[in-house]
Amino acid sequence: MDKKEFKKLAKKRGIPNFLYNLEGTGRDDERFNIVFDNGKWNVYYSERGCKTIDKFFDTEDEALRYMLSELSDYKRGKFIFGLSIIKENGIVQFPKQAIEEYKITVDKKVYLFTGSKITGGFCVTRKGLFEPSKLGKILTDTPELLNYTSKSGEFIKYKGRSYCWVDITDEGQIKLTEDMMKFLNIKPGMPLLSIRSSNIAFTMGAKGPLLEKSRNYKGKIPLF
């Protein structure tokens, strides 16, 4: 398989081209990328400048087949957990599949951080996933987040994004205050599309191509 064939198959499978970058130049954040590096083909998923998926292959064919397999999960709905409606009191119920996959309630608290310019909304993780990851330095550099000593829901800016912590119930619910919603540019009644964005966090997207695609999807997307 070469890049021309990859594009043809990706289009046939309904995979949006904004989910991958084959050129090795331009934007690489929040998408799969492929580059030739030191005699190997590197497939990676970049998130806030860090590679949360980082695999090497001997041939371009192997690398492209791997990337196509990962991206094909999108077509099967594997990247989409469901739609969560922000309640009038600011309560957000996370989809059951996201709760189970990320074990998001076990720490009793979660970290929220601002989403990308494309999807908006916010991303969700927990200390047990965040701290040991390649992005753990964010917590090391912000002990008030690491130790939950900042005010719940108070966003702290760090290198282009803002982070906070909030309590989460055993049922997988969080409560957004008016100030938090204003900061995130969301409001009660809005649908948030729950998307698997990496192995350490999922996104609650408020806008963008994926949300538009979900509105035109003929199948059933779980609603929470």
Side-chain angles (χ1 to χ4, degrees):
M1 180 186 296
D2 59 17
K3 292 177 182 178
K4 185 177 180 180
E5 185 180 356
F6 176 95
K7 289 179 181 179
K8 189 179 297 183
L9 287 171
K11 184 177 181 180
K12 186 177 180 180
R13 297 184 187 188
I15 298 169
N17 59 13
F18 59 80
L19 289 179
Y20 61 86
N21 179 352
L22 303 180
E23 310 310 320
T25 59
R27 178 172 177 160
D28 71 347
D29 196 40
E30 296 189 337
R31 63 199 64 206
F32 281 90
N33 302 269
I34 181 170
V35 294
F36 190 65
D37 185 15
N38 290 325
K40 296 277 188 177
W41 289 94
N42 179 206
V43 174
Y44 67 93
Y45 187 91
S46 178
E47 190 170 3
R48 291 170 304 285
C50 292
K51 296 179 179 180
T52 54
I53 293 175
D54 193 18
K55 293 185 178 292
F56 288 84
F57 300 88
D58 291 328
T59 67
E60 182 184 42
D61 175 74
E62 291 177 297
L64 289 171
R65 289 183 186 279
Y66 168 78
M67 189 158 72
L68 185 63
S69 175
E70 290 292 301
L71 285 164
S72 292
D73 287 338
Y74 168 81
K75 181 64 177 178
R76 294 194 294 269
K78 190 176 177 183
F79 276 84
I80 306 299
F81 294 122
L83 277 167
S84 297
I85 307 298
I86 305 174
K87 304 296 189 295
E88 287 299 319
N89 59 1
I91 295 291
V92 175
Q93 171 68 59
F94 294 136
K96 181 180 179 182
Q97 186 181 350
I99 295 169
E100 293 175 349
E101 184 167 319
Y102 290 87
K103 296 181 173 58
I104 205 65
T105 64
V106 299
D107 294 335
K108 306 298 182 183
K109 301 180 191 300
V110 291
Y111 293 113
L112 310 183
F113 53 93
T114 46
S116 69
K117 292 180 180 179
I118 294 175
T119 57
F122 56 91
C123 303
V124 187
T125 187
R126 59 180 175 85
K127 184 184 286 188
L129 295 174
F130 203 24
E131 189 175 16
S133 76
K134 294 180 180 180
L135 302 177
K137 189 176 186 299
I138 295 171
L139 293 182
T140 304
D141 290 349
T142 54
E144 60 269 49
L145 288 172
L146 175 66
N147 301 313
Y148 308 121
T149 54
S150 57
K151 184 179 178 182
S152 173
E154 178 185 359
F155 282 96
I156 296 171
K157 191 169 184 179
Y158 182 93
K159 294 186 178 179
R161 295 218 185 182
S162 296
Y163 301 77
C164 76
W165 67 269
V166 294
D167 292 318
I168 186 169
T169 68
D170 291 337
E171 295 74 31
Q173 294 182 348
I174 62 168
K175 184 170 184 177
L176 304 174
T177 65
E178 289 185 16
D179 286 343
M180 290 173 69
M181 287 189 278
K182 184 177 180 181
F183 184 84
L184 294 168
N185 197 28
I186 55 179
K187 59 184 178 181
M190 284 184 65
L192 299 174
L193 188 66
S194 184
I195 310 159
R196 180 191 289 111
S197 51
S198 74
N199 59 346
I200 64 167
F202 60 93
T203 297
M204 302 297 288
K207 61 181 182 178
L210 283 177
L211 188 59
E212 289 301 316
K213 191 174 181 69
S214 74
R215 289 173 179 150
N216 298 321
Y217 180 59
K218 294 180 180 179
K220 184 178 181 181
I221 297 177
L223 188 64
F224 298 88

PDB file of all heavy atoms in Angstrom, residues 85-119:
ATOM      1  N   ILE A  85     -25.946  15.589  26.904  1.00  0.00           N
ATOM      2  CA  ILE A  85     -26.589  16.900  26.928  1.00  0.00           C
ATOM      3  C   ILE A  85     -26.284  17.585  28.254  1.00  0.00           C
ATOM      4  O   ILE A  85     -26.466  16.989  29.327  1.00  0.00           O
ATOM      5  CB  ILE A  85     -28.116  16.781  26.748  1.00  0.00           C
ATOM      6  CG1 ILE A  85     -28.454  15.962  25.496  1.00  0.00           C
ATOM      7  CG2 ILE A  85     -28.744  18.170  26.676  1.00  0.00           C
ATOM      8  CD1 ILE A  85     -27.966  16.567  24.201  1.00  0.00           C
ATOM      9  N   ILE A  86     -25.830  18.818  28.198  1.00  0.00           N
ATOM     10  CA  ILE A  86     -25.574  19.572  29.430  1.00  0.00           C
ATOM     11  C   ILE A  86     -26.920  19.937  30.052  1.00  0.00           C
ATOM     12  O   ILE A  86     -27.729  20.629  29.429  1.00  0.00           O
ATOM     13  CB  ILE A  86     -24.770  20.853  29.154  1.00  0.00           C
ATOM     14  CG1 ILE A  86     -23.469  20.525  28.414  1.00  0.00           C
ATOM     15  CG2 ILE A  86     -24.466  21.575  30.471  1.00  0.00           C
ATOM     16  CD1 ILE A  86     -22.692  21.759  27.967  1.00  0.00           C
ATOM     17  N   LYS A  87     -27.163  19.468  31.259  1.00  0.00           N
ATOM     18  CA  LYS A  87     -28.427  19.738  31.941  1.00  0.00           C
ATOM     19  C   LYS A  87     -28.483  21.199  32.401  1.00  0.00           C
ATOM     20  O   LYS A  87     -27.465  21.891  32.487  1.00  0.00           O
ATOM     21  CB  LYS A  87     -28.590  18.801  33.137  1.00  0.00           C
ATOM     22  CG  LYS A  87     -28.491  17.315  32.790  1.00  0.00           C
ATOM     23  CD  LYS A  87     -29.611  16.871  31.875  1.00  0.00           C
ATOM     24  CE  LYS A  87     -29.653  15.361  31.704  1.00  0.00           C
ATOM     25  NZ  LYS A  87     -28.487  14.798  31.019  1.00  0.00           N
ATOM     26  N   GLU A  88     -29.670  21.649  32.722  1.00  0.00           N
ATOM     27  CA  GLU A  88     -29.863  23.046  33.152  1.00  0.00           C
ATOM     28  C   GLU A  88     -29.052  23.389  34.394  1.00  0.00           C
ATOM     29  O   GLU A  88     -28.634  24.527  34.580  1.00  0.00           O
ATOM     30  CB  GLU A  88     -31.353  23.318  33.407  1.00  0.00           C
ATOM     31  CG  GLU A  88     -32.196  23.424  32.152  1.00  0.00           C
ATOM     32  CD  GLU A  88     -31.744  24.564  31.242  1.00  0.00           C
ATOM     33  OE1 GLU A  88     -31.408  25.655  31.771  1.00  0.00           O
ATOM     34  OE2 GLU A  88     -31.699  24.360  30.015  1.00  0.00           O
ATOM     35  N   ASN A  89     -28.837  22.383  35.259  1.00  0.00           N
ATOM     36  CA  ASN A  89     -28.052  22.626  36.477  1.00  0.00           C
ATOM     37  C   ASN A  89     -26.549  22.403  36.271  1.00  0.00           C
ATOM     38  O   ASN A  89     -25.775  22.392  37.230  1.00  0.00           O
ATOM     39  CB  ASN A  89     -28.557  21.740  37.613  1.00  0.00           C
ATOM     40  CG  ASN A  89     -28.473  20.245  37.287  1.00  0.00           C
ATOM     41  OD1 ASN A  89     -28.021  19.862  36.203  1.00  0.00           O
ATOM     42  ND2 ASN A  89     -28.921  19.409  38.214  1.00  0.00           N
ATOM     43  N   GLY A  90     -26.140  22.193  35.006  1.00  0.00           N
ATOM     44  CA  GLY A  90     -24.730  22.029  34.704  1.00  0.00           C
ATOM     45  C   GLY A  90     -24.218  20.601  34.802  1.00  0.00           C
ATOM     46  O   GLY A  90     -23.027  20.350  34.565  1.00  0.00           O
ATOM     47  N   ILE A  91     -25.092  19.664  35.120  1.00  0.00           N
ATOM     48  CA  ILE A  91     -24.676  18.266  35.220  1.00  0.00           C
ATOM     49  C   ILE A  91     -24.399  17.693  33.829  1.00  0.00           C
ATOM     50  O   ILE A  91     -25.167  17.901  32.892  1.00  0.00           O
ATOM     51  CB  ILE A  91     -25.755  17.412  35.921  1.00  0.00           C
ATOM     52  CG1 ILE A  91     -25.928  17.857  37.377  1.00  0.00           C
ATOM     53  CG2 ILE A  91     -25.408  15.921  35.856  1.00  0.00           C
ATOM     54  CD1 ILE A  91     -24.739  17.547  38.263  1.00  0.00           C
ATOM     55  N   VAL A  92     -23.313  16.960  33.734  1.00  0.00           N
ATOM     56  CA  VAL A  92     -22.964  16.239  32.507  1.00  0.00           C
ATOM     57  C   VAL A  92     -22.756  14.778  32.866  1.00  0.00           C
ATOM     58  O   VAL A  92     -21.952  14.456  33.747  1.00  0.00           O
ATOM     59  CB  VAL A  92     -21.687  16.787  31.844  1.00  0.00           C
ATOM     60  CG1 VAL A  92     -21.291  15.928  30.643  1.00  0.00           C
ATOM     61  CG2 VAL A  92     -21.877  18.241  31.417  1.00  0.00           C
ATOM     62  N   GLN A  93     -23.503  13.904  32.200  1.00  0.00           N
ATOM     63  CA  GLN A  93     -23.355  12.467  32.391  1.00  0.00           C
ATOM     64  C   GLN A  93     -22.463  11.909  31.287  1.00  0.00           C
ATOM     65  O   GLN A  93     -22.776  12.012  30.109  1.00  0.00           O
ATOM     66  CB  GLN A  93     -24.730  11.777  32.335  1.00  0.00           C
ATOM     67  CG  GLN A  93     -24.683  10.257  32.316  1.00  0.00           C
ATOM     68  CD  GLN A  93     -24.179   9.675  33.621  1.00  0.00           C
ATOM     69  OE1 GLN A  93     -24.757   9.903  34.673  1.00  0.00           O
ATOM     70  NE2 GLN A  93     -23.070   8.921  33.563  1.00  0.00           N
ATOM     71  N   PHE A  94     -21.346  11.311  31.687  1.00  0.00           N
ATOM     72  CA  PHE A  94     -20.461  10.726  30.686  1.00  0.00           C
ATOM     73  C   PHE A  94     -21.043   9.402  30.189  1.00  0.00           C
ATOM     74  O   PHE A  94     -21.698   8.679  30.953  1.00  0.00           O
ATOM     75  CB  PHE A  94     -19.070  10.485  31.267  1.00  0.00           C
ATOM     76  CG  PHE A  94     -18.330  11.738  31.633  1.00  0.00           C
ATOM     77  CD1 PHE A  94     -17.630  11.833  32.830  1.00  0.00           C
ATOM     78  CD2 PHE A  94     -18.332  12.830  30.782  1.00  0.00           C
ATOM     79  CE1 PHE A  94     -16.941  12.985  33.168  1.00  0.00           C
ATOM     80  CE2 PHE A  94     -17.640  14.001  31.108  1.00  0.00           C
ATOM     81  CZ  PHE A  94     -16.952  14.069  32.312  1.00  0.00           C
ATOM     82  N   PRO A  95     -20.813   9.068  28.930  1.00  0.00           N
ATOM     83  CA  PRO A  95     -21.301   7.797  28.386  1.00  0.00           C
ATOM     84  C   PRO A  95     -20.721   6.589  29.133  1.00  0.00           C
ATOM     85  O   PRO A  95     -19.560   6.611  29.557  1.00  0.00           O
ATOM     86  CB  PRO A  95     -20.834   7.824  26.935  1.00  0.00           C
ATOM     87  CG  PRO A  95     -20.728   9.281  26.609  1.00  0.00           C
ATOM     88  CD  PRO A  95     -20.218   9.905  27.875  1.00  0.00           C
ATOM     89  N   LYS A  96     -21.522   5.552  29.240  1.00  0.00           N
ATOM     90  CA  LYS A  96     -21.128   4.355  29.989  1.00  0.00           C
ATOM     91  C   LYS A  96     -19.840   3.752  29.450  1.00  0.00           C
ATOM     92  O   LYS A  96     -18.960   3.351  30.214  1.00  0.00           O
ATOM     93  CB  LYS A  96     -22.265   3.330  29.931  1.00  0.00           C
ATOM     94  CG  LYS A  96     -21.968   2.053  30.703  1.00  0.00           C
ATOM     95  CD  LYS A  96     -23.128   1.072  30.611  1.00  0.00           C
ATOM     96  CE  LYS A  96     -22.809  -0.213  31.354  1.00  0.00           C
ATOM     97  NZ  LYS A  96     -23.918  -1.204  31.229  1.00  0.00           N
ATOM     98  N   GLN A  97     -19.703   3.680  28.130  1.00  0.00           N
ATOM     99  CA  GLN A  97     -18.521   3.059  27.540  1.00  0.00           C
ATOM    100  C   GLN A  97     -17.257   3.838  27.885  1.00  0.00           C
ATOM    101  O   GLN A  97     -16.201   3.259  28.155  1.00  0.00           O
ATOM    102  CB  GLN A  97     -18.666   2.942  26.024  1.00  0.00           C
ATOM    103  CG  GLN A  97     -17.538   2.163  25.360  1.00  0.00           C
ATOM    104  CD  GLN A  97     -17.688   2.075  23.849  1.00  0.00           C
ATOM    105  OE1 GLN A  97     -18.718   2.427  23.299  1.00  0.00           O
ATOM    106  NE2 GLN A  97     -16.646   1.619  23.173  1.00  0.00           N
ATOM    107  N   ALA A  98     -17.351   5.172  27.889  1.00  0.00           N
ATOM    108  CA  ALA A  98     -16.192   5.997  28.251  1.00  0.00           C
ATOM    109  C   ALA A  98     -15.829   5.800  29.716  1.00  0.00           C
ATOM    110  O   ALA A  98     -14.645   5.716  30.073  1.00  0.00           O
ATOM    111  CB  ALA A  98     -16.484   7.464  27.968  1.00  0.00           C
ATOM    112  N   ILE A  99     -16.837   5.731  30.577  1.00  0.00           N
ATOM    113  CA  ILE A  99     -16.616   5.522  32.014  1.00  0.00           C
ATOM    114  C   ILE A  99     -15.858   4.222  32.246  1.00  0.00           C
ATOM    115  O   ILE A  99     -14.879   4.172  32.997  1.00  0.00           O
ATOM    116  CB  ILE A  99     -17.954   5.496  32.770  1.00  0.00           C
ATOM    117  CG1 ILE A  99     -18.644   6.861  32.697  1.00  0.00           C
ATOM    118  CG2 ILE A  99     -17.748   5.083  34.224  1.00  0.00           C
ATOM    119  CD1 ILE A  99     -20.074   6.853  33.191  1.00  0.00           C
ATOM    120  N   GLU A 100     -16.323   3.169  31.570  1.00  0.00           N
ATOM    121  CA  GLU A 100     -15.716   1.855  31.771  1.00  0.00           C
ATOM    122  C   GLU A 100     -14.327   1.763  31.152  1.00  0.00           C
ATOM    123  O   GLU A 100     -13.404   1.218  31.759  1.00  0.00           O
ATOM    124  CB  GLU A 100     -16.636   0.781  31.170  1.00  0.00           C
ATOM    125  CG  GLU A 100     -17.965   0.653  31.909  1.00  0.00           C
ATOM    126  CD  GLU A 100     -18.916  -0.316  31.229  1.00  0.00           C
ATOM    127  OE1 GLU A 100     -18.636  -0.731  30.082  1.00  0.00           O
ATOM    128  OE2 GLU A 100     -19.959  -0.642  31.843  1.00  0.00           O
ATOM    129  N   GLU A 101     -14.169   2.290  29.948  1.00  0.00           N
ATOM    130  CA  GLU A 101     -12.886   2.164  29.252  1.00  0.00           C
ATOM    131  C   GLU A 101     -11.768   2.915  29.967  1.00  0.00           C
ATOM    132  O   GLU A 101     -10.641   2.432  30.066  1.00  0.00           O
ATOM    133  CB  GLU A 101     -13.017   2.664  27.815  1.00  0.00           C
ATOM    134  CG  GLU A 101     -11.758   2.488  27.005  1.00  0.00           C
ATOM    135  CD  GLU A 101     -11.983   2.699  25.516  1.00  0.00           C
ATOM    136  OE1 GLU A 101     -13.012   2.239  24.984  1.00  0.00           O
ATOM    137  OE2 GLU A 101     -11.123   3.327  24.876  1.00  0.00           O
ATOM    138  N   TYR A 102     -12.067   4.107  30.475  1.00  0.00           N
ATOM    139  CA  TYR A 102     -11.051   4.927  31.129  1.00  0.00           C
ATOM    140  C   TYR A 102     -11.064   4.767  32.650  1.00  0.00           C
ATOM    141  O   TYR A 102     -10.274   5.396  33.331  1.00  0.00           O
ATOM    142  CB  TYR A 102     -11.242   6.403  30.765  1.00  0.00           C
ATOM    143  CG  TYR A 102     -10.897   6.708  29.323  1.00  0.00           C
ATOM    144  CD1 TYR A 102     -11.837   6.561  28.316  1.00  0.00           C
ATOM    145  CD2 TYR A 102      -9.619   7.146  28.964  1.00  0.00           C
ATOM    146  CE1 TYR A 102     -11.528   6.838  26.986  1.00  0.00           C
ATOM    147  CE2 TYR A 102      -9.296   7.424  27.646  1.00  0.00           C
ATOM    148  CZ  TYR A 102     -10.259   7.266  26.661  1.00  0.00           C
ATOM    149  OH  TYR A 102      -9.949   7.534  25.350  1.00  0.00           O
ATOM    150  N   LYS A 103     -12.013   3.929  33.158  1.00  0.00           N
ATOM    151  CA  LYS A 103     -12.179   3.774  34.612  1.00  0.00           C
ATOM    152  C   LYS A 103     -12.176   5.159  35.254  1.00  0.00           C
ATOM    153  O   LYS A 103     -11.471   5.416  36.242  1.00  0.00           O
ATOM    154  CB  LYS A 103     -11.077   2.884  35.194  1.00  0.00           C
ATOM    155  CG  LYS A 103     -11.116   1.442  34.685  1.00  0.00           C
ATOM    156  CD  LYS A 103     -10.014   0.609  35.313  1.00  0.00           C
ATOM    157  CE  LYS A 103     -10.129  -0.861  34.958  1.00  0.00           C
ATOM    158  NZ  LYS A 103     -10.094  -1.114  33.498  1.00  0.00           N
ATOM    159  N   ILE A 104     -12.961   6.020  34.673  1.00  0.00           N
ATOM    160  CA  ILE A 104     -12.845   7.453  34.944  1.00  0.00           C
ATOM    161  C   ILE A 104     -13.301   7.854  36.345  1.00  0.00           C
ATOM    162  O   ILE A 104     -12.978   8.954  36.810  1.00  0.00           O
ATOM    163  CB  ILE A 104     -13.608   8.263  33.857  1.00  0.00           C
ATOM    164  CG1 ILE A 104     -13.044   9.680  33.728  1.00  0.00           C
ATOM    165  CG2 ILE A 104     -15.117   8.258  34.128  1.00  0.00           C
ATOM    166  CD1 ILE A 104     -11.640   9.750  33.229  1.00  0.00           C
ATOM    167  N   THR A 105     -14.010   6.987  37.051  1.00  0.00           N
ATOM    168  CA  THR A 105     -14.527   7.363  38.375  1.00  0.00           C
ATOM    169  C   THR A 105     -13.637   6.900  39.530  1.00  0.00           C
ATOM    170  O   THR A 105     -13.877   7.289  40.668  1.00  0.00           O
ATOM    171  CB  THR A 105     -15.941   6.790  38.589  1.00  0.00           C
ATOM    172  OG1 THR A 105     -15.880   5.356  38.599  1.00  0.00           O
ATOM    173  CG2 THR A 105     -16.896   7.244  37.491  1.00  0.00           C
ATOM    174  N   VAL A 106     -12.612   6.093  39.263  1.00  0.00           N
ATOM    175  CA  VAL A 106     -11.897   5.434  40.361  1.00  0.00           C
ATOM    176  C   VAL A 106     -11.138   6.405  41.268  1.00  0.00           C
ATOM    177  O   VAL A 106     -10.944   6.117  42.450  1.00  0.00           O
ATOM    178  CB  VAL A 106     -10.935   4.340  39.842  1.00  0.00           C
ATOM    179  CG1 VAL A 106     -11.682   3.262  39.097  1.00  0.00           C
ATOM    180  CG2 VAL A 106      -9.839   4.934  38.972  1.00  0.00           C
ATOM    181  N   ASP A 107     -10.710   7.536  40.733  1.00  0.00           N
ATOM    182  CA  ASP A 107      -9.966   8.500  41.553  1.00  0.00           C
ATOM    183  C   ASP A 107     -10.884   9.493  42.266  1.00  0.00           C
ATOM    184  O   ASP A 107     -10.390  10.363  43.012  1.00  0.00           O
ATOM    185  CB  ASP A 107      -8.962   9.272  40.686  1.00  0.00           C
ATOM    186  CG  ASP A 107      -7.863   8.385  40.128  1.00  0.00           C
ATOM    187  OD1 ASP A 107      -7.575   7.339  40.738  1.00  0.00           O
ATOM    188  OD2 ASP A 107      -7.294   8.726  39.076  1.00  0.00           O
ATOM    189  N   LYS A 108     -12.190   9.394  41.998  1.00  0.00           N
ATOM    190  CA  LYS A 108     -13.196  10.281  42.610  1.00  0.00           C
ATOM    191  C   LYS A 108     -13.104  11.728  42.130  1.00  0.00           C
ATOM    192  O   LYS A 108     -13.960  12.554  42.446  1.00  0.00           O
ATOM    193  CB  LYS A 108     -13.106  10.269  44.151  1.00  0.00           C
ATOM    194  CG  LYS A 108     -13.170   8.894  44.771  1.00  0.00           C
ATOM    195  CD  LYS A 108     -14.479   8.193  44.477  1.00  0.00           C
ATOM    196  CE  LYS A 108     -14.555   6.840  45.150  1.00  0.00           C
ATOM    197  NZ  LYS A 108     -15.807   6.113  44.806  1.00  0.00           N
ATOM    198  N   LYS A 109     -12.060  12.037  41.377  1.00  0.00           N
ATOM    199  CA  LYS A 109     -11.884  13.363  40.798  1.00  0.00           C
ATOM    200  C   LYS A 109     -11.373  13.186  39.369  1.00  0.00           C
ATOM    201  O   LYS A 109     -10.727  12.182  39.065  1.00  0.00           O
ATOM    202  CB  LYS A 109     -10.904  14.212  41.604  1.00  0.00           C
ATOM    203  CG  LYS A 109     -11.295  14.433  43.063  1.00  0.00           C
ATOM    204  CD  LYS A 109     -10.261  15.274  43.786  1.00  0.00           C
ATOM    205  CE  LYS A 109     -10.508  15.269  45.296  1.00  0.00           C
ATOM    206  NZ  LYS A 109     -11.822  15.794  45.657  1.00  0.00           N
ATOM    207  N   VAL A 110     -11.673  14.157  38.525  1.00  0.00           N
ATOM    208  CA  VAL A 110     -11.158  14.117  37.158  1.00  0.00           C
ATOM    209  C   VAL A 110     -10.545  15.465  36.808  1.00  0.00           C
ATOM    210  O   VAL A 110     -10.867  16.486  37.422  1.00  0.00           O
ATOM    211  CB  VAL A 110     -12.268  13.782  36.123  1.00  0.00           C
ATOM    212  CG1 VAL A 110     -12.736  12.355  36.278  1.00  0.00           C
ATOM    213  CG2 VAL A 110     -13.431  14.762  36.216  1.00  0.00           C
ATOM    214  N   TYR A 111      -9.663  15.435  35.828  1.00  0.00           N
ATOM    215  CA  TYR A 111      -9.118  16.669  35.284  1.00  0.00           C
ATOM    216  C   TYR A 111      -9.850  16.988  33.983  1.00  0.00           C
ATOM    217  O   TYR A 111     -10.078  16.098  33.152  1.00  0.00           O
ATOM    218  CB  TYR A 111      -7.621  16.522  34.987  1.00  0.00           C
ATOM    219  CG  TYR A 111      -6.766  16.350  36.217  1.00  0.00           C
ATOM    220  CD1 TYR A 111      -6.108  15.145  36.460  1.00  0.00           C
ATOM    221  CD2 TYR A 111      -6.603  17.390  37.128  1.00  0.00           C
ATOM    222  CE1 TYR A 111      -5.313  14.979  37.582  1.00  0.00           C
ATOM    223  CE2 TYR A 111      -5.813  17.227  38.259  1.00  0.00           C
ATOM    224  CZ  TYR A 111      -5.171  16.022  38.483  1.00  0.00           C
ATOM    225  OH  TYR A 111      -4.392  15.872  39.600  1.00  0.00           O
ATOM    226  N   LEU A 112     -10.210  18.246  33.821  1.00  0.00           N
ATOM    227  CA  LEU A 112     -10.771  18.746  32.573  1.00  0.00           C
ATOM    228  C   LEU A 112      -9.769  19.714  31.976  1.00  0.00           C
ATOM    229  O   LEU A 112      -9.124  20.477  32.705  1.00  0.00           O
ATOM    230  CB  LEU A 112     -12.092  19.478  32.809  1.00  0.00           C
ATOM    231  CG  LEU A 112     -13.173  18.781  33.636  1.00  0.00           C
ATOM    232  CD1 LEU A 112     -14.429  19.649  33.683  1.00  0.00           C
ATOM    233  CD2 LEU A 112     -13.491  17.409  33.092  1.00  0.00           C
ATOM    234  N   PHE A 113      -9.620  19.690  30.662  1.00  0.00           N
ATOM    235  CA  PHE A 113      -8.791  20.704  30.027  1.00  0.00           C
ATOM    236  C   PHE A 113      -9.408  21.096  28.697  1.00  0.00           C
ATOM    237  O   PHE A 113     -10.161  20.340  28.084  1.00  0.00           O
ATOM    238  CB  PHE A 113      -7.331  20.255  29.869  1.00  0.00           C
ATOM    239  CG  PHE A 113      -7.120  18.935  29.191  1.00  0.00           C
ATOM    240  CD1 PHE A 113      -6.896  18.866  27.829  1.00  0.00           C
ATOM    241  CD2 PHE A 113      -7.117  17.761  29.934  1.00  0.00           C
ATOM    242  CE1 PHE A 113      -6.669  17.654  27.201  1.00  0.00           C
ATOM    243  CE2 PHE A 113      -6.886  16.534  29.312  1.00  0.00           C
ATOM    244  CZ  PHE A 113      -6.664  16.485  27.945  1.00  0.00           C
ATOM    245  N   THR A 114      -9.116  22.296  28.288  1.00  0.00           N
ATOM    246  CA  THR A 114      -9.752  22.876  27.111  1.00  0.00           C
ATOM    247  C   THR A 114      -9.476  22.051  25.861  1.00  0.00           C
ATOM    248  O   THR A 114      -8.381  21.541  25.661  1.00  0.00           O
ATOM    249  CB  THR A 114      -9.266  24.318  26.893  1.00  0.00           C
ATOM    250  OG1 THR A 114      -7.834  24.360  27.023  1.00  0.00           O
ATOM    251  CG2 THR A 114      -9.871  25.259  27.921  1.00  0.00           C
ATOM    252  N   GLY A 115     -10.494  21.933  25.024  1.00  0.00           N
ATOM    253  CA  GLY A 115     -10.385  21.165  23.797  1.00  0.00           C
ATOM    254  C   GLY A 115      -9.643  21.929  22.715  1.00  0.00           C
ATOM    255  O   GLY A 115      -9.197  23.060  22.915  1.00  0.00           O
ATOM    256  N   SER A 116      -9.542  21.306  21.567  1.00  0.00           N
ATOM    257  CA  SER A 116      -8.839  21.940  20.446  1.00  0.00           C
ATOM    258  C   SER A 116      -9.709  23.030  19.833  1.00  0.00           C
ATOM    259  O   SER A 116     -10.910  23.144  20.118  1.00  0.00           O
ATOM    260  CB  SER A 116      -8.511  20.901  19.377  1.00  0.00           C
ATOM    261  OG  SER A 116      -9.703  20.453  18.735  1.00  0.00           O
ATOM    262  N   LYS A 117      -9.105  23.841  18.968  1.00  0.00           N
ATOM    263  CA  LYS A 117      -9.853  24.885  18.278  1.00  0.00           C
ATOM    264  C   LYS A 117     -10.930  24.286  17.384  1.00  0.00           C
ATOM    265  O   LYS A 117     -11.965  24.912  17.134  1.00  0.00           O
ATOM    266  CB  LYS A 117      -8.907  25.755  17.457  1.00  0.00           C
ATOM    267  CG  LYS A 117      -7.964  26.607  18.297  1.00  0.00           C
ATOM    268  CD  LYS A 117      -7.055  27.450  17.417  1.00  0.00           C
ATOM    269  CE  LYS A 117      -6.110  28.296  18.262  1.00  0.00           C
ATOM    270  NZ  LYS A 117      -5.208  29.112  17.419  1.00  0.00           N
ATOM    271  N   ILE A 118     -10.698  23.067  16.905  1.00  0.00           N
ATOM    272  CA  ILE A 118     -11.657  22.427  16.005  1.00  0.00           C
ATOM    273  C   ILE A 118     -12.861  21.885  16.754  1.00  0.00           C
ATOM    274  O   ILE A 118     -14.003  22.118  16.365  1.00  0.00           O
ATOM    275  CB  ILE A 118     -10.979  21.288  15.214  1.00  0.00           C
ATOM    276  CG1 ILE A 118      -9.922  21.864  14.267  1.00  0.00           C
ATOM    277  CG2 ILE A 118     -12.012  20.490  14.410  1.00  0.00           C
ATOM    278  CD1 ILE A 118      -9.124  20.811  13.538  1.00  0.00           C
ATOM    279  N   THR A 119     -12.630  21.163  17.856  1.00  0.00           N
ATOM    280  CA  THR A 119     -13.735  20.493  18.551  1.00  0.00           C
ATOM    281  C   THR A 119     -14.298  21.287  19.731  1.00  0.00           C
ATOM    282  O   THR A 119     -15.427  21.035  20.156  1.00  0.00           O
ATOM    283  CB  THR A 119     -13.293  19.113  19.069  1.00  0.00           C
ATOM    284  OG1 THR A 119     -12.163  19.276  19.933  1.00  0.00           O
ATOM    285  CG2 THR A 119     -12.913  18.193  17.937  1.00  0.00           C
TER     286      THR A 119
END
